Amino acid sequence: MEANITAPKVRNKIWFWLDKNRKQVVDLTLRLVKIESQQPEGDVRAMADEIEAIAASIPGVEIERFVSEEPVHNVVVRLRGNRPGKRLIFNGHMDTFPAGDLSGWTRNPKGELDGDKAYGLGISDMKGGIAASLLAMKCLADTGADFPGEIVGTFVGDEETMGVLGTQYLLDNVPHAKGDAMISGDVGSPHILRFGEKGMIWAKVTAKGKSTHAAHVHRGESAIEKLTAVMDSFKSLRSFPVETTGNNVVPLIDQWSEKSERMSGEGETDVLKSVTITFGTIDGGRLSNLVADRADFTCDVRLPVGVSVAQVEAEMTRICQEVDGLELEISRRYEPSWTAPDHPVIEAVRQNCIEVLGQEPAVTMRVGASDARLYRYAGVPVVVCGLMAYNLGTTDEYIILAELYSLVDIFALSAHDYLVSNA
């Protein structure tokens, strides 16, 4: 009963703090964007230093650093409430896409403000989300840490290369990196909450043939022709049957299709509900006048809820076995993952999106991969609520400042509401 009486007073204090301080998130974001942390180099040591410096301004926090493998450093920031309760995680990754050729940038890739926008490499994916998480933690600390349980920020140095040395390392080695629920500020939009994501298979198919001069084609066996035949057969995976009985994922995808596609692109709904395959690389042969004796391709297969890795791998194996001289190699695999859409952490974030943004967010699946799946595999319910990415992975990446401010509000209020309501 005491929590019910005091919660409105605490929320008022939170709102008052946010009104005065939410714009600090811009400075924090630019501090992080200024520091390079690109993959594949993966050197996030300077980023970890800066996050520790920012976190040090939060009253009462405990800061730890865990090095999985140099130069991958992971920072854990722990804020305890004033009574027993659940543990809520804020998760974020410090590494970014590689910058590539910077000559095409018209803005400073290390951070620049212009009107209602902020520019910089990795600003949406996901240095803005980390800054919002840290400022939300500071808000709750400055207003008295008047909540049960604790909030733990896990800020990791390896996500772009699938999180083995980052989130997975912390989940395996740091007990308080695992919680009762997790909020991720990974790239996305506060107008679209993501409760799950597709599975994935990364595969390489190698074909062996018999080389001869092109004039004597009857004496050879083309590895390239074998390979292209398999590629054509692999395209049939796009119509692989999907089991939709017994889950409420597909109805939500359909319910929010129009809103989600307005922001994420036409066709997203079909992608979320079906198996997709993309051929990433292809290589083979030595000369144009020689029959190729070797060729290979790599592909990325994404799996919706209702299809398992084992099912798709079995079909890929069957196709490859129909042709002599083929080798199928799976380098990475993981199952689709999702949290019950009505879970309390999703509901807390949804309600605060309505309060802050003035409109109901979509609640649906995510096409891309994130560390959220690693938390789900560990049994931790997750919601992804991040910043809309503009020019992600290319020149002049930017975010909208108003959305960044809103994210701070949503994170602070949702953390409070989830912990108080589920004490």
Side-chain angles (χ1 to χ4, degrees), residues 233-301:
S233 296
F234 269 20
K235 291 176 186 176
S236 67
L237 294 173
R238 293 167 178 160
S239 57
F240 196 91
V242 178
E243 176 57 57
T244 60
T245 305
N247 70 67
N248 58 354
V249 171
V250 170
L252 277 173
I253 293 172
D254 289 335
Q255 176 184 340
W256 293 109
S257 173
E258 182 179 352
K259 181 169 186 174
S260 187
E261 289 198 357
R262 281 201 306 269
M263 305 189 75
S264 302
E266 185 178 352
E268 181 198 55
T269 301
D270 289 338
V271 168
L272 286 172
K273 296 193 296 183
S274 61
V275 175
T276 60
I277 181 168
T278 301
F279 299 101
T281 65
I282 185 167
D283 181 63
R286 290 175 287 152
L287 292 170
S288 59
N289 61 343
L290 287 178
V291 174
D293 59 355
R294 185 178 181 84
D296 63 67
F297 70 77
T298 60
C299 62
D300 175 303
V301 184

Side-chain angles (χ1 to χ4, degrees), residues 55 58-64 76-88 90 136-153 174-177 415 419:
I58 303 174
V61 296
E62 303 162 30
I63 303 170
E64 301 168 287
V76 176
V77 180
R78 193 174 190 180
L79 175 65
R80 300 175 192 264
N82 58 7
R83 54 196 185 276
K86 294 187 178 296
R87 179 185 298 135
L88 177 68
F90 280 125
M137 293 180 73
K138 181 170 174 55
C139 169
L140 294 176
D142 283 352
T143 52
D146 192 3
F147 56 86
E150 63 180 339
I151 302 168
V152 176
V174 182
H176 50 278
L419 292 172

